[in-house]
Amino acid sequence: MYEKIRSGSRRKWRFAVGAVVIAAATLTTGAASATPRPDDRVKPAILLVHGAFADGSSWNGVATRLRHDGYEVTMAAVPLRGLTYDSAYIRSVLRSMPRKTIVAGHSYGGAVITNAAAGEPKAAGLVYVAAFAPDQNETVGALDDRFGGPAKKITTPTEYPLPSGSGTAVELAIAQDKFHHYFAQDVPRNEALTMAAGQRPVAVAAFGEVSGVPAWKTLPSWYVLARDDRMIPAAGQREMARRMNATVVERWASHAITVSQPGSVAEVIETAARRTRS
């Protein structure tokens, strides 16, 4: 009788030890599986900044692809009232982003992100898309002149009232009959005409205000170069990309590359996101 009880106790003890070992192994396995792999880390957010003669809808195709791939996207509405004011506004948007952020700028939006992201902890990387990338003390107008851009020849000036009511200022819009040829020649004509009708004029002040210390001196940068750009000639884009030591991706596209080739642009932004993910 005693032996039977002892034998049973041993079986119970062995079972208990086995259960403890299995539980320990399960806990260990669970802990290991909880350790995030590189692909499981939280993706950075994406902030898309449009340029002059456009609005946030110019990023629609890019944003759709980024959201499909699991990125949180914000398409900011740039005031287009002057580089200082526009940069301060976009800086406030960047500070409101939920986490580290890839900041992408198209056209004049490149000058805006150059200033808005400087010294900002949430800025993880920059993507310039057929964009101005001024150095310190440069102006967008001076770069446009140097590269031979046609902005002064194809825009129409209009006065608008200042918010303070103290007077008026001047803004520029591309003449609608010139928009397709210069801005978006690889976009279907009817779509380009709609873009022209809905374009956001830019204040003349945006071309003359001096740029500050550029964010691209301290942040990793990428540049999507549009080889058939008639607004910022490709040679000028190459010069800016080279001096900022950006990773360059070239595509045969117009200035409106975010509309005509959204997949190419989204791919570069996602590359930047993967490279800067912490």
Side-chain angles (χ1 to χ4, degrees), residues 125-276:
L126 306 171
V127 179
Y128 292 80
V129 184
F132 287 108
D135 202 346
Q136 188 172 5
N137 297 323
E138 287 183 336
T139 67
V140 171
L143 289 173
D144 187 58
D145 288 341
R146 190 163 95 209
F147 302 146
K152 290 182 179 178
K153 301 175 184 177
I154 65 174
T155 53
T156 303
T158 306
E159 286 192 352
Y160 68 93
L162 293 170
S164 62
S166 59
T168 61
V170 177
E171 64 183 9
L172 301 172
I174 297 177
Q176 292 195 28
D177 62 345
K178 294 180 171 63
F179 192 95
H180 186 215
H181 176 77
Y182 285 97
F183 197 96
Q185 71 272 18
D186 58 352
V187 174
R189 182 174 179 77
N190 285 340
E191 185 176 358
L193 291 174
T194 300
M195 292 168 62
Q199 67 180 291
R200 294 273 309 284
V202 60
V204 170
F207 292 88
E209 292 184 0
V210 173
S211 189
V213 177
W216 49 258
K217 287 195 173 179
T218 54
L219 290 171
S221 302
W222 284 257
Y223 199 106
V224 183
L225 191 152
R227 292 180 180 175
D228 200 21
D229 195 323
R230 296 175 183 174
M231 294 297 295
I232 307 176
Q237 294 184 42
R238 286 194 187 95
E239 180 183 323
M240 290 184 288
R242 187 182 307 113
R243 72 179 181 180
M244 63 195 288
N245 198 31
T247 300
V248 180
V249 176
E250 297 196 4
R251 293 287 183 267
W252 280 108
S254 72
H255 191 60
I257 185 173
T258 60
V259 177
S260 63
Q261 296 190 31
S264 293
V265 176
E267 183 179 359
V268 176
I269 292 173
E270 291 193 26
T271 296
R274 287 192 296 270
R275 298 277 177 86
T276 59

Side-chain angles (χ1 to χ4, degrees), residues 80-165:
L80 300 179
R81 298 295 81 175
L83 186 58
T84 302
Y85 181 78
D86 294 340
S87 300
Y89 178 80
I90 295 302
R91 187 179 302 115
S92 72
V93 177
L94 174 58
R95 289 175 177 174
S96 73
M97 297 297 284
R99 64 187 71 86
K100 286 284 190 177
T101 301
I102 298 297
V103 188
H106 172 246
S107 189
Y108 165 72
V112 174
I113 70 172
T114 293
N115 289 269
E120 289 300 315
K122 283 190 176 177
L126 306 171
V127 179
Y128 292 80
V129 184
F132 287 108
D135 202 346
Q136 188 172 5
N137 297 323
E138 287 183 336
T139 67
V140 171
L143 289 173
D144 187 58
D145 288 341
R146 190 163 95 209
F147 302 146
K152 290 182 179 178
K153 301 175 184 177
I154 65 174
T155 53
T156 303
T158 306
E159 286 192 352
Y160 68 93
L162 293 170
S164 62

Side-chain angles (χ1 to χ4, degrees), residues 21-76:
V21 171
I22 292 170
T26 302
L27 289 172
T28 302
T29 304
S33 63
T35 303
R37 299 170 300 174
D39 291 342
D40 293 335
R41 296 170 187 164
V42 176
K43 294 180 177 180
I46 310 292
L47 175 59
L48 304 176
V49 180
H50 68 80
F53 319 121
D55 62 14
S57 68
S58 61
W59 288 106
N60 281 354
V62 177
T64 297
R65 286 160 174 78
L66 292 172
R67 284 196 298 268
H68 177 269
D69 292 339
Y71 290 92
E72 184 172 346
V73 181
T74 296
M75 297 184 290

